[in-house]
Amino acid sequence: MARLLSVNVGLPRDIAWKNRTIRTGIWKSPVRGRCRVGRLNLEGDGQADLGGHGGEQRAVFVYQIESYRYWQTQLGRADFVHGQFGENFTIEGLPDDAVCIGDRYRIGSAVFEITQPRVTCYRVGIRTNEPKMPALLTSSGQPGFYFRVLIEGEVGAGDEIVKVGEAEERMTVADISALLYSPNHPRDRLERALRIRALSPGWRASFEALLQSQGAGTGSSGNAGLAPAAAAHQVPPGFRPLEVASIDREAADVISLSLQHPDREPLPPPLPGQYVVLRLPRTDGSPLIRSYSISGPRSTQGYRISVKIEPDGAAGNYLSEHIQAGDVIEVSSPRGGFTLQPGERPVVLLSAGIGATPVLAMLHALAAARSTRQIFWLHAARDGQHHPFASEVRRLMLALSRGSSFVCYSKPDPHDRLGEDFDALGRLSQAVFEDIGIPHEADVYLCGPARFMADMKQALAASGMAPERFHMEIFNGGESLMPGIVGAAMRAPHPPKDAADSGPLVSFARSGIAAHWNPSAYASILELAEACDVPVRWSCRTGVCHNCESGLISGAVAYEPPPLDQPADGNLLICCSHPVRDVVIDL
């Protein structure tokens, strides 16, 4: 007979971890007497990270006493208490390899349905004092599972767990977990999983992504069900020598370099919105690594990149002062997940300053296809002298039957003509979006300075657009994902304190930071990136979730612990890797 052994609740609390403060609800304590179960939670319980825990599909986390006994033996531990794994229900008699997604149970006066396995994160490692626990839970096939509450009621320790229904398609919790996290993703089993109506939307989306990657016929590697968008479109590591065919002045502070193969061989075609990484020599021996969006049309004959020349910009000034037509520089293959998506929805290309470069490539693609989509080009500049690509954009807009543009100048000079060179004085805003009539269902591609992008996100949301329609390119690194971290000061990337002067050189391409690897100071490339305040994304920190998957632009790494499923060729997991020679990473 299956029984409920303990009901455990706890509210989020702040704890100290690695010189940081974490807010977490993983500390649960047994409840005395009966406990009310609501649609989203148990009375007295809470989750700090609602992105990864809680909600209707993850209202109650369940873990088995049989798994407790397994870990006590495996780890030689005798100190576990009910709630140790963050579970709300400690139960007996429902092992992960026997119960199925969609099975329904009555406990007390409440009825529950299994929706998904647990998605482990680093906090279970903190709670159990075993940092590898996120990987161990998943690899062992004993992750535990979540209940959805079908009928609210009361439960208590000692209640019998009675099965009252089951899914037609029988796949156990352990099967579903392995299907996503192991290297094996058979198509027939993915299709079976997607026939389970009770399967939570998040897991459903992961399996759909895996199916789509198999159906694309590209032979792509890695786990499409886990890899973040930033790690999509992987390409082989390495740089190739490209010749500078021409250098053109686009604005007072912007130049474009057209690059081609020295022998005129074809190059990998970029997707509209992607960028390349340049490796430029320096007199001190360590190279300058910088990323630049491809600003021209999609072509296998060459790439055009456009560079803003800042007074203190090392790479921009090097290109402006030392590179001439005919010179050869080292360039990566095109990469990046900020790309124009197919479909028929309206498109908004929204930029400021040099942020125009990736969305200009998208405009080239739309114009070349004579797209009939509704297309808005919205751009903010200081004045005409600092407005690159103005005539080029006007020419491209003529090819679009439903295209319109709107340009704001914040400080036009006397030669700038209102109604010809620009459309309004000031800045882009919610009022501008509403006056123009941007459809709420449009896909928005946004690039520019950090403050501009934050203001535009707020203005777009206030005008009624859904955040999932926003696509953003951040030049100096991506958006961070550090679940549970509170009060962390945002600092510009910088070399680490007490930097080493030997060892493999780790270069973070988008942040413009390089540091020598010091194995006595860092257990992973992730820890080095954190020491440099490079924006990073992570959750498990043990090679399970792939949130940290990033592009490996050049070099090679080794893993410890080994990831459960390898990243795509040309990518790496920074949370459990270290360099074996100099590496350049797309962060």
Side-chain angles (χ1 to χ4, degrees), residues 254-277:
V254 175
I255 60 171
S256 286
L257 285 74
S258 295
L259 308 172
Q260 62 187 15
H261 194 282
D263 299 323
R264 308 303 184 264
E265 294 179 6
L267 299 173
L271 295 173
Q274 289 191 311
Y275 56 88
V276 292
V277 180

Side-chain angles (χ1 to χ4, degrees), residues 42 51 148 174 184 195 229 268 513:
L42 279 71
R148 181 164 71 101
N184 301 312
R195 290 196 293 268
I513 298 297

Side-chain angles (χ1 to χ4, degrees), residues 350 352 428-430 433 446-462 470 472-474 479:
L350 176 57
L428 295 171
S429 64
Q430 178 186 349
F433 300 152
L446 172 61
C447 188
R451 178 61 184 273
F452 168 81
M453 292 176 65
D455 289 346
M456 293 301 96
K457 283 176 62 179
Q458 183 177 6
L460 289 164
F470 305 168
M472 298 184 298
E473 177 71 309
I474 302 174
E479 287 189 296

Side-chain angles (χ1 to χ4, degrees), residues 168-472:
E168 294 180 4
E169 198 70 59
R170 309 296 293 156
M171 294 189 73
T172 69
V173 167
D175 287 340
I176 289 289
S177 181
L179 185 59
L180 178 59
Y181 289 111
S182 76
N184 301 312
H185 317 286
R187 186 176 186 86
D188 61 333
R189 296 185 66 78
L190 291 171
E191 292 170 342
R192 279 187 62 195
L194 289 170
R195 290 196 293 268
I196 303 173
R197 286 180 292 179
L199 184 67
S200 67
W203 282 71
R204 184 174 298 279
S206 292
F207 290 146
E208 287 171 345
L210 281 166
L211 263 182
Q212 185 176 6
S213 70
Q214 293 179 4
T218 59
S220 60
S221 59
N223 191 320
L226 296 174
H233 312 300
Q234 70 273 10
V235 295
F239 292 88
R240 58 167 51 85
L242 294 186
E243 179 184 308
V244 178
S246 63
I247 302 176
D248 299 293
R249 176 69 60 174
E250 306 288 0
D253 56 354
V254 175
I255 60 171
S256 286
L257 285 74
S258 295
L259 308 172
Q260 62 187 15
H261 194 282
D263 299 323
R264 308 303 184 264
E265 294 179 6
L267 299 173
L271 295 173
Q274 289 191 311
Y275 56 88
V276 292
V277 180
L278 273 59
R279 182 163 62 186
L280 305 170
R282 257 197 304 210
T283 55
D284 64 1
S286 61
L288 271 173
I289 306 290
R290 292 294 187 272
S291 301
Y292 294 107
S293 294
I294 295 172
S295 61
R298 189 169 192 254
S299 172
T300 61
Q301 303 305 308
Y303 310 138
R304 183 184 72 176
I305 62 170
S306 300
V307 181
K308 184 177 182 181
I309 312 302
E310 304 276 10
D312 56 350
N317 283 298
Y318 179 91
L319 291 169
S320 176
E321 297 170 6
H322 299 288
I323 297 298
Q324 303 177 35
D327 288 346
V328 174
I329 56 179
E330 292 186 292
V331 183
S332 77
S333 294
R335 59 194 319 121
F338 180 70
T339 59
L340 181 65
Q341 301 300 305
E344 297 302 322
R345 279 194 297 264
V347 174
V348 177
L349 304 176
L350 176 57
S351 62
I354 195 61
T357 53
V359 292
L360 178 59
M362 296 179 185
L363 185 64
H364 269 284
L366 292 164
R370 300 282 175 174
S371 175
T372 57
R373 299 167 74 172
Q374 193 175 11
I375 298 163
F376 299 84
W377 173 270
L378 308 179
H379 185 72
R382 186 199 316 174
D383 55 36
Q385 293 188 63
H386 298 86
H387 180 190
F389 318 115
S391 59
E392 185 173 334
V393 168
R394 285 193 288 268
R395 175 177 56 80
L396 292 171
M397 293 301 295
L398 295 175
L400 300 171
S401 60
R402 302 178 65 198
S404 60
S405 67
F406 191 90
V407 175
C408 287
Y409 282 0
S410 58
K411 295 180 181 179
D413 66 32
H415 301 290
D416 294 327
R417 299 161 296 176
L418 180 64
E420 294 188 35
D421 299 312
F422 66 107
D423 300 292
L425 173 65
R427 302 181 186 277
L428 295 171
S429 64
Q430 178 186 349
V432 170
F433 300 152
E434 292 174 351
D435 287 345
I436 293 173
I438 294 177
H440 290 176
E441 71 275 14
D443 279 323
V444 180
Y445 298 88
L446 172 61
C447 188
R451 178 61 184 273
F452 168 81
M453 292 176 65
D455 289 346
M456 293 301 96
K457 283 176 62 179
Q458 183 177 6
L460 289 164
S463 67
M465 299 193 69
E468 58 266 24
R469 298 263 69 87
F470 305 168
H471 311 273
M472 298 184 298

